[in-house]
Amino acid sequence: MSQAKYQRVLLKVSGELLAGDEGFGINPSMIDDVADQIKEMVAMKVETAIVIGGGNIFRGIAGSAAGMDRVSADYMGMLATVLNALALQSILEQKGVFTRVQSAIEMKELAEVYIRRKAIRHLEKKRVVIFAAGTGNPYFSTDTAAVLRSIEIDAEVILKGTKVDGVFDKDPMKDPTAKQYSELTYLNVIDRGLKIMDSTAVTLCMDNNLPLIVFNLNEKENIRKVLMGEPVGTLISKADAVEREAHAG
Ligand code: GTP
């Protein structure tokens, strides 16, 4: 197999993606597909870290909109990511992929606590490290956790796996004329209010010059293409990247 472009990456898996068509909970075939893609990353000898969202189970912001205090709701969201992390670990290990789950909130009976140097050691030993419980702090999204962990472990790129093909000028689910960008700068994303990640996550990427690729994780070949450096999805990087619209197909 040919050499991947990256040696160490962090894959952000959205919780919503795991819900599949049901829109809630963990869809067995979706998590199985995600695990297969992660297995492929390992087979390509890419050191792989995962941050998983929790939106398929509970969203802090939605909880606070429903009358809970924001801090409690955010902690519930963090616990939701732990459920997803344990499910993914279990499926990956059934497929023969070695994993470690590290949680930002200590719950030592079921996961290691997050220790940066230990996470890096696991990656060096070719274990997939799944980071659970976000940053461990309320008011921070799992996207921000993904960027933070990427920087901490020296990932070369953050891959944001979603249900859509990349970043569009309009919502592609609502407007069929929406056009996909192939490249954007961090400032484009902020200026145009493109809802890829919250602004904390985007600025943290920008300040640390961490490239981000948004792509469709449902397309089975995508992860391999992304890792080989093929132009899949939307690349968000620093100012000298040229913005242009993606070619259809
Ligand atoms: P190396 O020292 O690099 O070989 O890493 P290792 O993870 O194999 O060693 P360690 O002895 O730390 O862990 C052995 C097993 O226990 C692994 O499956 C870890 O995920 C798990 N483990 C380690 N620390 C904790 C913890 O605090 N809580 C839980 N629940 N499991 C842990």
Side-chain angles (χ1 to χ4, degrees), residues 29 47 74 82 95 118 127 140 159 194 198 215 242:
S29 92
E47 293 175 1
D74 278 352
V82 178
K95 292 177 185 290
K118 199 160 171 162
R127 297 163 181 154
F140 289 94
L159 308 179
L194 298 169
D198 56 289
F215 71 105
V242 182

Side-chain angles (χ1 to χ4, degrees), residues 1-154:
M1 187 180 286
S2 37
Q3 191 69 37
K5 181 179 174 191
Y6 305 103
Q7 207 194 329
R8 181 175 295 166
V9 309
L10 186 141
L11 173 69
K12 165 76 204 300
V13 179
S14 90
E16 274 163 28
L17 186 97
L18 292 185
D21 291 338
E22 284 104 69
F24 181 81
I26 300 172
N27 175 306
S29 92
M30 285 306 300
I31 197 164
D32 200 72
D33 285 352
V34 170
D36 281 339
Q37 306 232 32
I38 295 168
K39 186 173 179 173
E40 169 110 25
M41 296 170 80
V42 176
M44 290 175 77
K45 305 207 182 316
V46 174
E47 293 175 1
T48 303
I50 311 286
V51 165
I52 195 154
N56 53 325
I57 298 166
F58 190 83
R59 260 183 192 289
I61 288 180
S64 87
M68 284 171 220
D69 79 274
R70 172 74 193 263
V71 173
S72 302
D74 278 352
Y75 278 119
M76 291 171 72
M78 288 179 236
L79 294 180
T81 72
V82 178
L83 300 185
N84 285 336
L86 293 178
L88 184 62
Q89 175 176 46
S90 174
I91 305 285
L92 281 169
E93 298 221 324
Q94 281 168 30
K95 292 177 185 290
V97 178
F98 296 108
T99 66
R100 295 289 184 268
V101 174
Q102 290 200 340
S103 172
I105 296 174
E106 192 175 322
M107 38 185 106
K108 62 181 187 314
E109 287 74 7
L110 53 93
E112 293 178 24
V113 69
Y114 172 64
I115 297 172
R116 172 179 168 267
R117 291 174 67 109
K118 199 160 171 162
I120 290 172
R121 196 75 193 111
H122 288 321
L123 291 168
E124 287 168 354
K125 292 186 175 179
K126 310 304 173 202
R127 297 163 181 154
V128 171
V129 181
I130 306 170
F131 295 119
T135 66
N137 298 289
Y139 296 101
F140 289 94
S141 66
T142 51
D143 281 338
T144 300
V147 178
L148 176 66
R149 294 292 182 247
S150 298
I151 298 162
E152 287 183 284
I153 62 165
D154 275 330

